Amino acid sequence: MPRTISVYVRWVERLNRGVGRLVMYMIFIMMGLLLYASFSRSVLNAPLLWGVEMSQFMLASYYLLGGAYAMQMGSHVRMDLFYSRWSPRTQASVDAITIVFLITFLVTLLLGGISSTQYALEYGQRNHSSWAPPLAPIKLIMCTGIVLMLLQAFATFFRDLGVALGRPIDEEGDA
């Protein structure tokens, strides 16, 4: 594979690995928030208006920002009826073809996300709840997660294409 593609793949994978490992600790912050909200409601008799809703936003951030890392690690669910019997080169060829559908979906999702984020920023959109937080921050996080997933999808495509063509991209350098 050309050096530019190899550098791109390694850069994107390093970025998504860093973001994914950072975001995975968000689950503990979310758990702490939910424990505090429960304690506040049960023991202090002072329910938090924002506790559960904030944890929902954190969970959305957790899976949106962690999706690219999960893809990089091969953690997404895969239909494995025939796939495991194929050679690595056949697997990579099929993956390189099918990832085009994922890229198409992610581009469509990103266009909708950008439109929704622009609307939230322009009109100061707020959630319809008693806390009524602004929705622009979570929509910006959503678009960031989609961009990271799109970058990872292209990196995975290039990696699979390299294997399918018999010129895999190594972790440290070109093959």
Side-chain angles (χ1 to χ4, degrees):
M1 296 302 290
R3 179 165 168 67
T4 309
I5 291 176
S6 297
V7 168
Y8 168 80
V9 168
R10 285 192 303 277
W11 180 83
V12 166
E13 289 183 349
R14 192 174 312 121
L15 172 68
N16 283 327
R17 188 172 23 261
V19 170
R21 288 183 178 167
L22 180 68
V23 168
M24 74 180 175
Y25 293 108
M26 191 182 293
I27 195 82
F28 297 113
I29 298 168
M30 188 176 63
M31 287 169 47
L33 173 62
L34 288 170
L35 282 171
Y36 177 71
S38 178
F39 175 79
S40 176
R41 183 182 60 246
S42 303
V43 176
L44 303 177
N45 199 23
L48 301 177
L49 291 176
W50 55 270
V52 172
E53 195 167 8
M54 186 64 186
S55 67
Q56 290 171 344
F57 288 155
M58 290 177 72
L59 182 62
S61 301
Y62 178 76
Y63 71 78
L64 285 166
L65 294 174
Y69 181 62
M71 181 179 186
Q72 181 183 353
M73 296 291 110
S75 300
H76 288 290
V77 175
R78 179 186 306 253
M79 183 58 149
D80 197 12
L81 187 60
F82 303 109
Y83 190 86
S84 63
R85 297 181 187 147
W86 295 341
S87 70
R89 201 165 177 173
T90 303
Q91 289 177 351
S93 299
V94 171
D95 286 346
I97 292 167
T98 58
I99 205 161
V100 172
F101 296 108
L102 174 64
I103 290 170
T104 303
F105 172 72
L106 289 171
V107 167
T108 305
L109 202 60
L110 182 60
L111 293 174
I114 290 170
S115 173
S116 182
T117 303
Q118 285 175 330
Y119 179 86
L121 288 168
E122 186 175 338
Y123 294 104
Q125 184 182 19
R126 294 179 135 347
N127 203 12
H128 299 291
S129 66
S130 57
W131 178 36
L135 292 177
I138 192 64
K139 290 185 178 194
L140 285 167
I141 290 170
M142 172 187 67
C143 288
T144 302
I146 295 168
V147 166
L148 290 173
M149 186 75 169
L150 193 55
L151 291 173
Q152 184 62 47
F154 277 110
T156 302
F157 170 76
F158 291 134
R159 194 172 278 288
D160 289 336
L161 187 62
V163 171
L165 296 175
R167 297 188 312 246
I169 298 172
D170 292 339
E171 294 301 318
E172 296 299 318
D174 296 333

